Amino acid sequence: MASEKILVGVAWPYVNGEKHIGQIAGAYLPPDIFARYQRLIGNDVLMVSGSDTHGTPIMLKADADGIPYGEFIDKYHGLFVAGCLAMGLTFDLYTHTDTANHWEVTQQMFTRHWETGFVYKDVQRQWYDPVARKFLADRYVEGECPYCGYADARGDQCDNCGRIYDALELKHPRSKISGTTTLEIRETEHFFLDMAKMNEPLLAWIAQGKEHWRPSVLNFTRGQLELRELRGRAITRDLDWGITIPIGDYPDKRIYVWYDAVIGYLSAAIEWATVSGDPEAWRQWWDADVNPAARIYNFIGKDNIPFHTIIWPGMLIGYNAGATHLNLPYDVPANEYLNLGGGKFSTSRGNVIGWNWGLARFQPDAWRYVLTALAPETADVEFTWQDFMDRINNELVANWGNLVNRMLSFAYKRFAGAIPVPGELTAEDASFLAEIRSGFAGVGELYAAVKLKAALLEARRLSQRVNQYLNDQAPWKIIGEQPARAATVVYVALQAIDWLKVIWSPVLPHSSEQVHSYLGYDRPLFGRQYTEEVADARGTHLVLRYDHSSAGGRWEAAALPAGQAMREPAALFAKLDEAIMAEKLGA
């Protein structure tokens, strides 16, 4: 089967602080699991994202910390890159939006929208803070949500119900700069995206083969479009931080973040092609005239659904009214929320478990396992430290970890450090291996459908099946009297483990790589992650890259070479107890 082009576009996180595990569970770990699987089956994957360096959340935090915007961005962009390296998020390119490349691509799209009539100029009424003497763009103003009554709704979107609206619709507004509630409404000229013009084309698009979308995503999107209430939305702000407007002279206005950030999926692909030495390579995923069969996935949290199923596709439709035609998203697998203490994780509100903080205390595969087991794919899920410990001890360690440790250790000690040579397999052996082999199809189908929690459950069931086989066959009991049969049983179990390490590897890449090495393989399962500095007209920026040229993993039930020299194994996972948890959480 020919290789497919799969673009995995991952939500661009604001660099307004350390990211939290709710964000990782919702938008950053799932695409990595999906991308690893797609690479294993031979598809040509391009996974891109970057830090969102513009917008009021960053400005507010940098101002509060007394740090210049550029210095603030470098700090938190670097922190996120470090987290990606530690957890093993295999971005082909992770960059940020304050680059010459992103500025150029954004300004080109802005100009195209202006030329095709999807952007227009108009006067907007906006909140003005007479104390700070500033217009209050988006998150510089808060108040009561006009739809659900949430008291701390932001000026651009409600965190509680997810609705987007005009900031003037807020009830009881207050300034985030001065705190005053005595705000004025003043007029200011801005550029608007003509979303009303996109409504009918989007309805036609959403009606074309979206059965693979998650029902919550499809129903929300269809419901919003069928209301036919889309209207012009300002894409510029009265700010001095952000991408400049390429039309006319507007020194005190900037293109705003919600317009420029989604363009990052395209600009990051273009930057990847440039730094990889083939500037036109991005077209294999994006240019509909070159490869209309390419599939683009956008992994996000549910608060980003309208931006990725309405605004971004609408922007692409507006762009495609010109000469170049770009592919629209194939799927938008949005997750619900992972909650903490009964409320939503929130960096800006301080309700967090920091990602880098957590990675410094617990194994990355422990995090990957628990956050996948808790994956909020169809409903909000609550995180607790007790559940974290229980899942590691009772599922990850007790099931897969102990199986690998006891079987590889037994084989290494009793068969001179080599994979034993099996005798003739019994019908029971063959049936057992056929069941484990079926996991490549069954679990693979779940990975492909982005049903990652179900994939984990099936992998765990197959691992338990190996434990049952070993308990029934008990090679440690018969090795003295029936050494040939014991060797066969051990080989069959190791073969199953060899296959399962591949099946587990999208979720547990670090420990799967260990198992791969312990079994005696020299070529690694996965490629190499690394960072580099890229210089452009706006300076030098740090990027995360992934090189899969050295990877040897394949999604197939390959035969384990009998007689292959093993490496001395060690336990894959650390068991936790109350004392260890108290020490780590208190550190």
Side-chain angles (χ1 to χ4, degrees):
M1 187 171 62
S3 173
E4 295 184 73
K5 299 288 185 183
I6 307 290
L7 188 135
V8 179
V10 185
W12 289 60
Y14 280 131
V15 285
N16 62 329
E18 179 182 349
K19 298 300 102 179
H20 55 70
I21 64 166
Q23 293 165 315
I24 306 308
Y28 300 101
L29 176 57
D32 181 67
I33 295 172
F34 178 76
R36 285 177 180 273
Y37 167 73
Q38 292 291 344
R39 293 188 187 108
L40 283 169
I41 64 173
N43 283 331
D44 196 356
V45 174
L46 180 59
M47 179 166 143
V48 295
S49 186
S51 296
D52 188 346
T53 65
H54 303 135
T56 53
I58 295 155
M59 300 171 72
L60 281 165
K61 187 65 166 61
D63 289 341
D65 291 355
I67 301 174
Y69 297 147
E71 187 178 320
F72 183 85
I73 288 165
D74 288 344
K75 174 182 177 180
Y76 287 108
H77 172 69
L79 194 63
F80 190 86
V81 168
C84 291
L85 282 168
M87 199 164 193
L89 304 187
T90 51
F91 286 101
D92 292 277
L93 183 80
Y94 184 87
T95 180
H96 67 60
T97 57
D98 196 32
T99 68
N101 168 75
H102 183 72
W103 275 52
E104 180 181 356
V105 176
T106 300
Q107 290 174 333
Q108 286 175 351
M109 183 160 285
F110 187 103
T111 302
R112 174 69 67 83
H113 284 153
W114 176 256
E115 293 169 348
T116 58
F118 280 80
V119 162
Y120 63 90
K121 253 191 312 189
D122 202 355
V123 172
Q124 181 185 45
R125 297 166 72 238
Q126 195 174 79
W127 291 117
Y128 182 84
D129 182 342
V131 177
R133 298 181 180 180
K134 287 185 177 181
F135 282 101
L136 299 179
D138 301 295
R139 298 195 182 192
Y140 278 114
V141 60
E142 289 185 343
E144 184 180 310
C145 175
Y147 293 98
C148 71
Y150 181 59
D152 295 320
R154 309 183 192 280
D156 55 351
Q157 186 178 17
C158 177
D159 280 349
N160 186 56
C161 69
R163 294 290 293 267
I164 55 178
Y165 41 72
D166 189 303
L168 293 184
E169 298 177 70
L170 283 174
K171 299 176 182 178
H172 313 298
R174 58 189 179 274
S175 169
K176 288 281 288 182
I177 301 175
S178 69
T180 183
T181 57
T182 308
L183 304 180
E184 301 174 2
I185 297 176
R186 294 191 183 184
E187 291 188 341
T188 177
E189 185 179 56
H190 283 291
F191 288 84
F192 290 73
L193 186 65
D194 194 347
M195 293 176 59
K197 199 170 185 176
M198 303 169 176
N199 207 128
E200 294 308 315
L202 283 169
L203 272 171
W205 171 67
I206 207 76
Q208 298 171 2
K210 301 295 186 290
E211 296 83 6
H212 56 282
W213 282 29
R214 290 181 177 170
S216 59
V217 178
L218 183 58
N219 293 338
F220 174 87
T221 304
R222 184 185 290 121
Q224 292 295 299
L225 294 173
E226 288 177 348
L227 290 173
R228 290 176 170 79
E229 293 180 351
L230 296 186
R231 57 191 176 187
R233 183 177 169 94
I235 59 173
T236 55
R237 296 291 189 273
D238 295 289
L239 297 170
D240 58 4
W241 178 253
I243 298 173
T244 55
I245 298 167
I247 298 168
D249 183 22
Y250 297 93
D252 298 323
K253 298 182 189 293
R254 295 292 186 271
I255 297 173
Y256 195 53
V257 61
W258 70 260
Y259 179 88
D260 95 78
V262 288
I263 297 171
Y265 301 119
L266 174 61
S267 70
I270 293 172
E271 183 180 346
W272 165 83
T274 300
V275 299
S276 298
D278 184 0
E280 296 300 305
W282 65 274
R283 295 186 184 278
Q284 292 294 324
W285 288 269
W286 273 109
D287 193 330
D289 297 321
V290 172
N291 185 14
R295 287 188 284 146
I296 297 174
Y297 290 78
N298 289 132
F299 284 80
I300 58 170
K302 68 178 177 181
D303 53 339
N304 264 324
I305 291 174
F307 294 96
H308 288 77
T309 66
I310 297 175
I311 293 175
W312 176 228
M315 290 168 62
L316 291 169
I317 288 169
Y319 186 89
N320 290 347
T324 306
H325 301 102
L326 301 176
N327 288 313
L328 271 65
Y330 170 78
D331 197 4
V332 184
N335 278 328
E336 306 293 310
Y337 291 141
L338 183 69
N339 292 327
L340 176 66
K344 177 188 170 186
F345 277 90
S346 173
T347 299
S348 59
R349 301 188 191 284
N351 191 43
V352 298
I353 295 172
W355 183 33
N356 300 77
W357 179 91
L359 284 170
R361 286 159 175 77
F362 302 99
Q363 293 172 286
D365 273 5
W367 278 115
R368 292 178 68 107
Y369 179 88
V370 173
L371 295 183
T372 305
L374 291 174
E377 293 173 349
T378 58
D380 290 355
V381 176
E382 183 77 12
F383 176 90
T384 68
W385 284 114
Q386 184 64 50
D387 189 43
F388 177 84
M389 182 175 70
D390 290 345
R391 287 184 182 275
I392 291 173
N393 291 341
N394 302 333
E395 297 175 11
L396 184 59
V397 173
N399 182 311
W400 177 236
N402 282 349
L403 165 64
V404 171
N405 189 44
R406 70 167 173 159
M407 207 60 244
L408 268 65
S409 296
F410 181 78
Y412 187 82
K413 291 176 183 177
R414 300 304 297 268
F415 294 92
I419 305 296
V421 177
E424 185 176 350
L425 302 190
T426 66
E428 185 177 359
D429 296 337
S431 175
F432 163 72
L433 285 177
E435 181 180 355
I436 304 303
R437 187 187 296 111
S438 71
F440 285 97
V443 179
E445 185 177 314
L446 294 169
Y447 281 137
V450 202
K451 296 179 179 178
L452 309 181
K453 181 185 292 187
L456 178 146
L457 291 173
E458 180 60 10
R460 194 171 75 203
R461 184 192 71 80
L462 292 170
S463 300
Q464 184 56 36
R465 182 70 184 85
V466 184
N467 279 313
Q468 292 170 352
Y469 170 81
L470 285 168
N471 289 339
D472 292 342
Q473 301 298 324
W476 43 86
K477 290 184 179 179
I478 63 172
I479 192 168
E481 297 180 359
Q482 304 177 61
R485 177 58 189 161
T488 301
V489 171
V490 171
Y491 177 84
V492 168
L494 293 180
Q495 176 68 91
I497 289 170
D498 190 34
W499 291 344
L500 282 170
K501 99 190 163 212
V502 178
I503 291 171
W504 271 115
S505 67
V507 177
L508 304 173
H510 303 87
S511 51
S512 293
E513 199 76 76
Q514 286 178 268
V515 177
H516 188 66
S517 176
Y518 294 157
L519 288 172
Y521 295 101
D522 293 323
R523 193 178 184 192
L525 270 176
F526 293 111
R528 177 178 68 94
Q529 293 173 277
Y530 63 100
T531 60
E532 65 178 275
E533 297 282 349
V534 175
D536 64 22
R538 293 193 58 76
T540 301
H541 61 283
L542 178 71
V543 300
L544 177 63
R545 302 289 310 280
Y546 177 68
D547 174 15
H548 56 80
S549 62
S550 63
R554 295 291 183 271
W555 192 260
E556 60 185 3
L560 176 65
Q564 178 169 273
M566 300 174 65
R567 294 181 177 88
E568 186 172 4
L572 298 178
F573 311 111
K575 191 171 183 179
L576 302 173
D577 60 27
E578 297 290 347
I580 293 172
M581 291 295 293
E583 178 184 350
K584 289 183 179 292
L585 298 182

